[in-house]
Amino acid sequence: MSAAYPLADRIPPTPGACAPEELLDLFLGHVRGLGLELYGAQEQAILELLSGNNVILATPTGSGKSLVALALRRAVVESDRYSRGIVL
């Protein structure tokens, strides 16, 4: 695994190669490798997003919304889809 792009190295290069649950597991492995643990709301939001659902995540500052956005961006790259997001 490359030190510069460990998350990129975890995701299969073929779009659509993983089910949402598998992508979540890969992302959780990346997060654990950083010494972090996701909150339940983060994990649930990521799984919903990876399943193609829309999500509004309203949690306090410092609760990890950026990690959810990172997971979504990685999934979009993996699936070769176009996406838009709003971060307030």
Side-chain angles (χ1 to χ4, degrees), residues 53-74:
N53 298 317
N54 295 319
V55 171
I56 296 174
L57 184 60
T59 59
T61 299
S63 63
K65 293 178 290 290
S66 296
L67 279 174
V68 174
L70 175 63
L72 177 60
R73 286 304 307 153
R74 189 62 239 170

Side-chain angles (χ1 to χ4, degrees), residues 40-84:
Q42 290 171 297
E43 207 168 315
Q44 183 178 1
I46 291 169
L47 185 55
E48 290 297 321
L49 290 167
L50 295 178
S51 297
N53 298 317
N54 295 319
V55 171
I56 296 174
L57 184 60
T59 59
T61 299
S63 63
K65 293 178 290 290
S66 296
L67 279 174
V68 174
L70 175 63
L72 177 60
R73 286 304 307 153
R74 189 62 239 170
V76 168
V77 168
E78 186 274 334
S79 68
D80 202 29
R81 294 180 303 190
Y82 174 77
S83 74
R84 281 181 257 164

Side-chain angles (χ1 to χ4, degrees), residues 1-2 5-14 17-18 22-35 74 78:
M1 214 179 337
S2 162
Y5 301 103
L7 179 57
D9 290 346
R10 290 177 186 268
I11 305 298
T14 306
C18 285
E22 292 173 296
L23 282 175
L24 177 60
D25 286 342
L26 292 169
F27 186 75
L28 291 175
H30 169 70
V31 170
R32 279 191 296 273
L34 296 173
R74 189 62 239 170
E78 186 274 334

